[in-house]
């Protein structure tokens, strides 16, 4: 099994000194602002929508995975990119930027449980079995929420990456190439988008990577979509019961969820779409409207703050924010910035040349279609 830290060529023992935890919020804030001013355009800080406000405050841009990938690719001036997100996002930034640019991740513990549900060893075993079962009729697609090794595998085998924003386009594209799709690693996104495109549930099989077996009733030859058995630990916890309880407790509410939620939850909701779609829906909603949103808590709370004229709640108020995404905080951001000033460069994310080339084949196929 490939160790993600080996792949990224980083030192897993790099941990933030305790002295940063002893600083006040204002002390850290002033130091971050000072370094940002000193570095100017040499520094670029992209932050995912799920980041804490204490980090988003200093971001040069915020966005979902697709937007941040595109903006990192377009930025040719920054010498240093401090990526406030998770491993796979920083990997993508490194692969899309040039050799003179350095990508740092403030905390190496900021991973993604969904991405970790598909490793390269499991995927190669699955691919061999799929080839034996279906012949050369399968094309792989991977959600960008996957490791560089998985992106490289997909690129090597003629496939592409997808985001929640463009999954419909990419699934349509893939079905023009081959008869079947292997969709990694999020079964819910793959199922929801495929169903929206008119593919019935009885044409979708689940690949169980733990047992190396299909989960499917009927003749496996009838399957058009092979869904990897993975999920987002946050979005899977928005349930049909949550929707029904919300409609009972909040009459007139409109339920808006991310397509990483289970199919049954999405079917019960009023609207489903990517992070950008959710933000746009709330921004364009009329004053006084009521919304229950099924996505990461930091974003929901930010939308509440930004739109006080609307009644906004989390679809599941008992959920915590994404724990791995929340590893990135103000102390770690400052530590990362200080490491640039001292030329220690903590937590550099560097993907090897072969993996980068194969991953870019998959990423560029996606970027050509959005």
């Amino acid at each position: 099994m490939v160790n993600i830290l080996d792949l990224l060529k980083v030192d897993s023992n790099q941990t933030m000194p305790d002295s940063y935890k002893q600083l006040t919020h204002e002390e850290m804030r002033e130091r971050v602002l000072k370094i940002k001013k000193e570095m100017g355009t040499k520094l670029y800080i992209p932050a995912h929508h799920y980041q804490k406000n204490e980090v988003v405050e200093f971001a040069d841009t915020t966005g979902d995975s697709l937007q941040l990938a595109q903006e990192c690719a377009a930025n040719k001036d920054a010498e240093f990119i401090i990526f406030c997100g998770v491993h796979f996002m920083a990997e993508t930034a490194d692969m899309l930027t040039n050799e003179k640019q350095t990508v740092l991740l403030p905390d190496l513990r900021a991973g993604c449980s969904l991405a970790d549900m598909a490793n390269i060893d499991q995927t190669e075993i699955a691919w061999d079995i799929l080839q034996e079962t279906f012949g050369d009729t399968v094309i792989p697609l991977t959600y960008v929420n996957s490791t560089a090794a998985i992106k490289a595998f997909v690129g090597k085998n003629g496939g592409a990456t997808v985001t929640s924003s463009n999954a419909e386009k990419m699934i349509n594209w893939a079905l023009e190439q081959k008869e079947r799709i292997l969709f990694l690693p999020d079964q819910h996104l793959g199922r929801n988008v495929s169903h929206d495109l008119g593919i019935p549930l009885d044409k979708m099989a689940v690949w169980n990577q733990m047992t190396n077996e299909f989960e499917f009733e009927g003749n496996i030859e009838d399957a058009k979509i092979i869904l990897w058995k993975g999920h987002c630990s946050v979005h899977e916890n928005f349930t049909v019961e949550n929707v029904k309880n919300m409609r009972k407790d909040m009459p007139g509410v409109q339920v808006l969820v991310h397509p990483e939620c289970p199919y049954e939850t999405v079917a019960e909701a009023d609207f489903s779409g990517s992070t950008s779609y959710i933000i746009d829906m709330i921004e364009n909603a009329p004053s006084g409207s009521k919304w229950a949103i099924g996505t990461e808590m930091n974003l929901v709370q930010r939308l509440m703050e930004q739109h006080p004229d609307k009644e906004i709640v989390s679809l599941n108020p008992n959920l915590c924010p994404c724990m791995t995404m929340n590893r990135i905080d103000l102390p770690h951001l400052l530590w990362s910035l200080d490491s640039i000033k001292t030329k220690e460069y903590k937590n550099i994310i560097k993907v090897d040349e072969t993996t980068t080339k194969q991953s870019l084949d998959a990423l560029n196929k996606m970027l050509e279609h959005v």
Side-chain angles (χ1 to χ4, degrees):
M1 184 180 298
V2 175
N3 185 309
I4 185 67
L5 297 177
D6 291 339
L7 180 65
L8 297 177
K9 298 181 179 178
V10 293
D11 180 0
S12 61
N13 293 318
Q14 294 188 48
T15 56
M16 182 183 71
D18 289 339
S19 58
Y20 284 89
K21 300 176 185 177
Q22 298 166 6
L23 297 171
T24 68
H25 182 89
E26 192 56 35
E27 286 173 330
M28 290 185 286
R29 195 172 171 278
E30 289 178 1
R31 285 173 59 176
V32 170
L33 288 171
K34 180 181 179 182
I35 295 173
K36 282 199 60 158
K37 184 176 180 180
E38 290 173 352
M39 294 193 67
T41 58
K42 292 182 179 180
L43 174 69
Y44 185 59
I45 304 178
H48 192 270
H49 286 306
Y50 295 169
Q51 290 290 290
K52 298 177 179 179
N53 283 342
E54 66 187 64
V55 171
V56 169
E57 176 185 359
F58 304 103
D60 295 303
T61 185
T62 57
D64 59 14
S65 298
L66 173 61
Q67 180 184 345
L68 296 180
Q70 290 174 315
E71 294 193 15
C72 284
N75 188 321
K76 307 301 181 184
D77 298 326
E79 295 179 19
F80 298 95
I81 296 172
I82 297 186
F83 206 107
C84 296
V86 293
H87 270 297
F88 75 81
M89 298 178 189
E91 287 179 326
T92 303
D94 176 63
M95 293 187 290
L96 289 173
T97 50
N98 63 53
E99 293 181 357
K100 295 180 180 179
Q101 295 175 296
T102 301
V103 177
L104 298 93
L105 185 67
D107 190 339
L108 291 181
R109 298 172 301 168
C112 173
S113 60
L114 170 59
D116 291 342
M117 288 185 184
N119 68 51
I120 189 61
D121 294 336
Q122 293 171 329
T123 304
E124 289 176 344
I125 290 170
W127 189 248
D128 287 343
I129 295 174
L130 263 61
Q131 296 301 296
E132 293 173 5
T133 304
F134 301 112
D136 187 24
T137 67
V138 186
I139 186 170
L141 291 180
T142 186
Y143 196 16
V144 291
N145 298 38
S146 56
T147 66
I150 298 301
K151 291 183 178 74
F153 167 87
V154 169
K156 182 174 65 175
N157 288 285
T161 58
V162 312
T163 72
S164 53
S165 300
N166 64 27
E168 286 194 6
K169 289 181 180 179
M170 297 312 300
I171 288 175
N172 277 329
W173 170 84
L175 289 175
E176 292 173 357
Q177 316 305 311
K178 294 286 180 72
E179 183 180 343
R180 297 178 177 86
I181 294 171
L182 169 63
F183 193 95
L184 295 137
D186 184 3
Q187 63 171 313
H188 299 312
L189 177 65
R191 182 180 294 109
N192 288 321
V193 176
S194 296
H195 188 265
D196 286 345
L197 290 171
I199 301 172
L201 296 178
D202 61 10
K203 298 293 184 181
M204 302 183 208
V206 173
W207 175 258
N208 187 327
Q209 67 272 23
M210 304 308 294
T211 63
N212 291 326
E213 294 176 332
F214 295 103
E215 295 181 0
F216 187 71
E217 295 181 4
N219 185 350
I220 193 61
E221 289 286 340
D222 293 334
K224 291 190 69 67
I225 309 293
I226 313 300
L227 303 167
W228 192 267
K229 195 170 185 177
H231 62 268
C232 169
S233 58
V234 172
H235 287 106
E236 189 168 71
N237 285 303
F238 293 104
T239 66
V240 171
E241 185 179 6
N242 291 150
V243 179
K244 291 181 176 179
N245 288 340
M246 193 60 66
R247 294 197 194 283
K248 179 181 176 182
D249 298 338
M250 195 175 177
V253 69
Q254 297 182 81
V255 178
L256 173 59
V257 301
H258 194 282
E260 288 178 24
C261 295
Y263 168 78
E264 294 79 9
T265 305
V266 172
E268 194 74 21
D270 297 298
F271 304 98
S272 171
S274 68
T275 304
S276 294
Y277 174 89
I278 290 171
I279 293 171
D280 289 343
M281 283 287 289
I282 298 301
E283 287 182 349
N284 296 319
S287 181
S289 56
K290 301 178 182 180
W291 296 89
I293 304 177
T295 194
E296 204 275 340
M297 185 61 76
N298 278 324
L299 175 58
V300 176
Q301 290 177 337
R302 192 170 298 122
L303 290 172
M304 292 178 192
E305 295 165 3
Q306 294 172 347
H307 302 278
D309 61 318
K310 298 154 194 175
E311 191 172 347
I312 300 171
V313 298
S314 171
L315 180 59
N316 184 345
N318 296 318
L319 279 187
C320 296
C322 175
M323 297 307 295
T324 50
M325 188 75 77
N326 272 254
R327 296 287 191 184
I328 309 299
D329 56 16
L330 184 53
H332 281 88
L333 175 58
L334 175 58
W335 179 49
S336 190
L337 287 165
D338 280 343
S339 81
I340 295 174
K341 298 294 291 181
T342 60
K343 298 184 179 181
E344 295 175 290
Y345 309 126
K346 300 296 185 181
N347 301 343
I348 293 175
I349 302 299
K350 187 64 179 175
V351 182
D352 69 84
E353 185 176 345
T354 300
T355 302
T356 295
K357 182 180 182 301
Q358 293 172 344
S359 296
L360 286 177
D361 288 341
L363 286 162
N364 286 331
K365 282 190 178 75
M366 175 186 74
L367 294 174
E368 287 169 6
H369 291 83
V370 298

